[in-house]
Each structure stands twice: as C-alpha cells, then as structure tokens.
C-alpha cells in the first residue's frame, strides 16, 4: 500500500476527506480486502487511543487557580508604580504636611468605571488639615485632598505604597476613606510619608498648594480610562 | 443570572471579555483535565504539569481581550499549552519518557474485575509506550488528533502546520502504531472468540 493510500484511509476514518475523494476511496475499498484490513486496524488504533483515560490534576486545581488569579489580578496593577515610585530617603521637614499622601485613591463614579475617564484621585488627609475642597475637572481624573470625602456613592481604586512601590491595589470596592486610617496602614503610612517627602522635596514642594499642584500634575500623567481598559489585558500602562 | 452550561467555548470567552468571570470558571472546568493531561504527556511530571496548566489558564485570563472570537477557543488554549510544555521540555533537556504511566487512576473502574483491570492496565501501558516512541513530529499530531480529539484544522493551527501535513503525519504515526500494536488487535479478536 502506498503512503498516499494510507493517508487517505486514515483521513477517511476521521471524516476529513472532501466528498469527491471520500467517494473515490470508498469505492476502492469495496474491492480491496487489504485496504479494508488496514482501515479496520486504523479504527482499532484510533478507538483504543481515544478510550485511554485522561490523567487528571489533583483535587482543588480550579480553586487554587482562581485564588492565584485573584492574587495576580491585584499584583498586576502596579503598572502605576512608574508614575508613583519615589526614592526613599529620610526627610522630616514636610512630613506632617504630606502625611496626606499615605494612601492614594482613585475614585470613579459608580457605573462609569469601564469607559468614562471621570474620576478623582484622593489622598486621604491627616489632622493637619489639608484642603477639604475637591478640585474637579470634567472628564479628567482630579485630585481631592481630604479625609472627609463622602465616597458612599463612589467606587474607587486604592493604592498602597511601601518603599515607593505599590504594594496593594484594590478596585471596585466601596469603602469610606476614613476606614483607611486604621492601624493596619500605620507602617505603610510612615514609609509613604518618607517617600512622598523625598519626592516633594525633589520637586520643590513645601506648601500645601504646591503639594496639591504636584499631585494634580502627577495624576494628569495617566489616563484613567486607559488604565482601566489596559488592566484587563495586562498591557502595561505607565505613561511617564 | 445567565446559564452558560450549554454555551460554546467561544461564547464563554465573549462573555468573559465582557467581564463575566463565571464564564471563565466554566472554561476552566471544561478544560482543566484536557490541558493538564496534554501537558503531562510532554513532561511526565505531575507536579510541574499542574503548575504549567495553571499558567496556561492564567495566560488565558490575562489575554482575554486579545482573543479573537473568530478563532476556536480550543486552538487558542492548546497553543498556549503547547508553547509552555515545549519551554518546559526544552529547559529540562528531555522530553517524553517510556515510563509506565505513574498516574494510573482506577477510580472510575471500580466495576471492573481485577483481571479486567490488569488487562486494561497492560494494554494502556503498551499503547502509551508505543506512542511515546513515535518521532516528535508524529507524536505531536497523534496527541492532538487522537488523544485530544482536535480536527486536522485545529491541530494544524496549534502546531503551525498545514492541514495536509497534519494528515500525512497522523497517518504515518498511526501506521507505526499499527505495526507495533497489531498484536493487541489480534489478542482482542481471539478473546472475543
């Protein structure tokens, strides 16, 4: 038997021949016992292989996978790091003034997360009384510096820093800003204060107004809508 | 709540692209054994195969927006699995072994008699031993078409070869298996008598 004939018999078995070739092979088969025998053997091989049991992963595979994805989903967002990464140095002069920068929040109005770039970045404030007044610009992420922001109707992304690196990003969760000022964030707070202090110093920021302006400038470097979109397919979005 | 149980893989990916992660969970359910089994047939290392299979699904998760619904999902996921399995094999500088399947699960064969179990076990081991002896280019196609039951077109897309090449490689692979395993067919014929 030629290799070509064998190929056709094998493909006939898989119903992968066009109708003309199939009819031709079927006709030839009728008067050819050798081809019939080969076809029967091929059928045996194929059905035996298909009957082999599949090896299965261990129990809990899917659960472990989903847990990993949950972890990675939040880890994958430090694409903001490039924007916010700050060198860590000791600095005390403006420490209290920049305590507000411990946690940066991106607030997005409920329901617009997927498409509309409206939103705001909030630095939760301290008792030193950074301006409570939100700065709002339509269609752009804007900055609010306040610990008294009512976020009950907002969704937000919270970004925690440690040593200048984003260590945690939570999104799409409703939470009151004031909840962020608990003990759980004390360590992060200290580091971020230092980090921001360095960054602010390097950028000549010494007053509250300058702080707000700098934060706003920082926010203007990224496109919230792009970030949200890109976060879905893990394409880095780090506009410097 | 939408029921996805009857949905095609492609419809599930579409729903997943729109943000419904339940659709992704169903895809995981449908493919976890297939993908694990496929990778295992290259690595013969259960632990690594599981890690790689997880990585496959993570890549599907991450690249969902790049998936074109016009493409078969099976092709998409097997292609990822194949690349990762090849990388693993390349890194370890070894591929298949002729080790008898260490993963011999008897759980679904409780109704068989001990003799039947032994017979089946021997037959299956013999088949895998011969499949593992196939040259790689035949092995790749036999695995996709006969074990994973992909069409020629799908297998061609996964492997990056034409349908005609799939057809001829599969035929050659089966021919070798026929030559090596013909005795099993005779044995079975005699048993039936």
């Amino acid at each position: 038997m030629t290799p070509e004939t064998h190929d056709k018999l094998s493909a006939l078995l898989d119903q992968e021949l066009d109708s003309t070739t199939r009819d031709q092979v079927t006709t030839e088969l009728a008067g050819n016992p050798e081809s019939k025998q080969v076809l029967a053997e091929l059928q045996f091989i194929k059905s035996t292989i298909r009957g082999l049991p599949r090896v299965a992963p261990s129990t809990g595979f899917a659960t472990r996978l989903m847990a990993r994805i949950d972890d990675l989903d939040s880890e994958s967002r430090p694409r903001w790091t490039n924007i916010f990464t700050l060198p860590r140095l000791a600095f005390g002069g403006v420490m209290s003034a920049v305590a507000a920068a411990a946690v940066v929040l991106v607030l997005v109005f409920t329901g617009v997360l997927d498409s509309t770039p409206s939103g705001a970045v909030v630095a939760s404030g301290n008792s030193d009384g950074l301006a409570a007044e939100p700065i709002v610009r339509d269609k752009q992420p804007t900055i609010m510096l306040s610990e008294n922001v009512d976020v009950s109707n907002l969704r937000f992304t919270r970004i925690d820093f440690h040593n200048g690196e984003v260590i945690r990003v939570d999104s799409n969760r409703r939470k009151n800003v004031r909840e962020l000022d608990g003990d759980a964030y004390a360590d992060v707070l200290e580091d971020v204060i230092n980090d921001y202090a360095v960054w602010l110093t390097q950028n000549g920021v010494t007053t509250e107004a300058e702080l707000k302006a700098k934060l706003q400038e920082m926010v203007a470097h990224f496109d919230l809508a792009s970030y949200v979109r890109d976060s879905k397919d893990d394409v880095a979005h780090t506009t410097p | 709540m939408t029921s996805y149980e009857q949905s095609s893989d492609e419809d599930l990916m579409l729903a997943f692209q729109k943000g419904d992660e339940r659709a992704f969970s169903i895809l995981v359910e449908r493919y976890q054994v297939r993908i694990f089994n496929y990778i295992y047939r290259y690595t013969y290392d259960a632990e690594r195969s599981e890690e790689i299979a997880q990585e496959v699904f993570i890549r599907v998760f991450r690249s969902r927006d790049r998936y074109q619904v016009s493409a078969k999902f099976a092709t998409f996921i097997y292609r990822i699995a194949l690349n990762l399995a090849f990388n693993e094999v390349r890194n370890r500088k070894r591929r298949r072994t002729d080790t008898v399947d260490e993963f011999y699960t008897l759980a679904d064969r409780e109704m068989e008699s001990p003799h039947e179990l032994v017979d089946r076990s021997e037959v299956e081991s013999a088949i895998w031993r011969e499949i593992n002896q196939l040259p790689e280019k035949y092995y790749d196609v036999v695995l996709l078409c006969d074990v994973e039951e992909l069409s020629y077109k799908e297998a061609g897309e996964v492997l990056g070869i034409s349908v005609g090449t799939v057809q001829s490689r599969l035929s050659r692979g089966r021919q070798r298996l026929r030559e090596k395993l013909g005795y099993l067919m005779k044995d079975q014929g005699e048993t039936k008598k």
Side-chain angles (χ1 to χ4, degrees):
Chain A
M1 177 175 288
T2 65
E4 290 72 26
T5 305
H6 195 279
D7 290 357
K8 285 178 186 170
L9 289 175
S10 174
L12 177 71
L13 190 65
D14 297 327
Q15 300 181 333
E16 292 269 3
L17 291 177
D18 61 70
S19 57
T20 310
T21 314
R22 188 186 59 231
D23 292 346
Q24 185 192 344
V25 174
T26 308
T27 306
E28 285 169 10
L29 260 178
N32 191 330
E34 186 199 353
S35 292
K36 277 185 182 173
Q37 176 62 26
V38 169
L39 187 65
E41 289 177 15
L42 285 171
Q43 175 67 61
F44 171 76
I45 295 295
K46 177 179 172 177
S47 60
T48 307
I49 293 176
R50 290 205 169 179
L52 293 171
R54 280 198 165 104
V55 177
S58 60
T59 310
F61 175 88
T63 308
R64 289 192 298 281
L65 171 67
M66 299 317 285
R68 273 187 71 186
I69 283 175
D70 282 346
D71 289 345
L72 291 169
D73 200 29
S74 55
E75 282 173 15
S76 69
R77 295 173 199 248
R79 55 178 64 82
W80 290 39
T81 300
N82 286 1
I83 302 169
F84 293 105
T85 296
L86 305 166
R88 178 180 168 78
L89 287 172
F91 182 83
V94 295
M95 185 172 287
S96 62
V98 298
V103 179
V104 175
L105 301 177
V106 175
L107 299 184
V108 183
F109 291 99
T110 304
V112 299
L113 186 65
D114 286 343
S115 56
T116 311
S118 302
V121 168
V122 169
S124 65
N126 69 349
S127 56
D128 290 326
L130 287 172
E133 228 179 288
I135 303 164
V136 178
R137 284 185 296 159
D138 288 340
K139 304 294 182 187
Q140 289 294 325
T142 55
I143 302 167
M144 291 187 287
L145 298 175
S146 173
E147 62 178 353
N148 299 314
V149 177
D150 179 5
V151 292
S152 58
N153 292 319
L154 301 178
R155 296 167 106 182
F156 65 87
T157 295
R158 194 187 95 216
I159 311 164
D160 294 343
F161 297 86
H162 182 75
N163 291 342
E165 297 288 333
V166 176
I167 59 165
R168 176 187 167 123
V169 180
D170 282 339
S171 63
N172 296 334
R173 287 172 47 195
R174 293 181 181 191
K175 200 168 185 180
N176 192 296
V177 169
R178 275 168 289 207
E179 290 178 41
L180 302 175
D181 292 332
D183 292 341
Y185 303 106
D187 293 340
V188 175
L189 188 69
E190 185 183 349
D191 287 317
V192 173
I193 288 169
N194 284 333
D195 288 337
Y196 267 71
V198 171
W199 181 79
L200 292 168
T201 306
Q202 289 174 339
N203 287 276
V205 174
T206 53
T207 67
E208 180 183 314
E210 287 169 345
L211 169 64
K212 283 164 60 176
K214 273 295 169 195
L215 282 174
Q216 190 163 26
E217 184 185 312
M218 192 162 69
V219 169
H221 282 308
F222 70 84
D223 175 347
L224 181 62
S226 295
Y227 167 74
V228 171
R229 186 177 61 243
D230 290 347
S231 69
K232 289 178 180 172
D233 62 4
D234 201 37
V235 174
H237 174 74
T238 51
T239 310
Chain B
M1 188 179 286
T2 313
S3 171
Y4 288 128
E5 299 306 322
Q6 305 300 319
S7 300
S8 69
D9 297 341
E10 291 71 30
D11 285 343
L12 288 171
M13 273 304 279
L14 198 59
F16 180 38
Q17 284 180 332
K18 288 177 181 169
D20 191 338
E21 293 188 7
R22 275 188 315 117
F24 176 73
S25 301
I26 292 170
L27 285 168
V28 172
E29 260 177 54
R30 283 186 190 176
Y31 278 88
Q32 58 177 317
V33 173
R34 294 176 66 177
I35 292 300
F36 174 82
N37 181 68
Y38 182 59
I39 294 165
Y40 180 75
R41 295 301 170 193
Y42 282 103
T43 65
Y44 277 88
D45 178 335
E47 198 174 328
R48 271 305 287 150
S49 297
E50 192 156 313
E51 289 168 7
I52 295 167
Q54 294 233 341
E55 182 61 26
V56 169
F57 286 107
I58 286 168
R59 292 198 181 191
V60 170
F61 186 92
R62 284 176 160 172
S63 58
R64 58 196 178 278
D65 286 348
R66 290 194 288 274
Y67 169 75
Q68 302 288 317
V69 180
S70 56
K72 286 273 288 183
F73 176 75
T75 307
F76 177 66
I77 193 168
Y78 274 104
R79 178 90 197 157
I80 296 172
L82 180 72
N83 286 337
L84 292 176
F86 273 9
N87 286 344
E88 173 70 12
V89 170
R90 198 177 299 128
N91 290 340
R92 294 199 301 176
K93 292 189 167 52
R94 79 182 176 91
R95 198 162 170 179
R96 292 164 269 136
T97 70
D98 57 0
T99 314
V100 174
D101 204 338
E102 70 196 50
F103 244 81
Y104 219 146
T105 55
L106 304 178
D108 55 349
R109 299 178 191 168
E110 288 171 357
M111 301 307 287
E112 293 178 282
S113 72
H115 283 300
E116 286 170 331
L117 282 174
V118 170
D119 289 346
R120 284 194 58 147
S121 166
E122 286 174 358
V123 168
E124 288 164 7
S125 296
I127 293 168
W128 274 116
R129 197 159 44 239
E130 295 306 334
I131 293 174
N132 284 335
Q133 297 300 324
L134 289 172
E136 284 185 14
K137 61 182 180 179
Y138 300 157
Y139 181 85
D140 295 339
V141 177
V142 167
L143 205 55
L144 282 173
C145 294
D146 279 349
V147 178
E148 299 302 329
E149 305 183 20
L150 265 59
S151 70
Y152 289 7
K153 182 172 183 290
E154 290 165 355
E157 285 172 3
V158 172
L159 295 167
I161 57 178
S162 70
V163 168
T165 305
V166 171
Q167 179 179 315
S168 60
R169 287 184 184 178
L170 182 61
S171 171
R172 305 294 189 280
R174 284 173 172 171
Q175 187 169 14
R176 292 194 181 211
L177 293 174
R178 264 183 55 225
E179 290 162 6
K180 300 282 186 181
L181 297 169
Y183 72 93
L184 289 175
M185 193 176 173
K186 286 175 191 145
D187 287 352
Q188 206 169 69
E190 285 167 12
T191 306
K192 281 178 183 169
K193 288 174 196 170

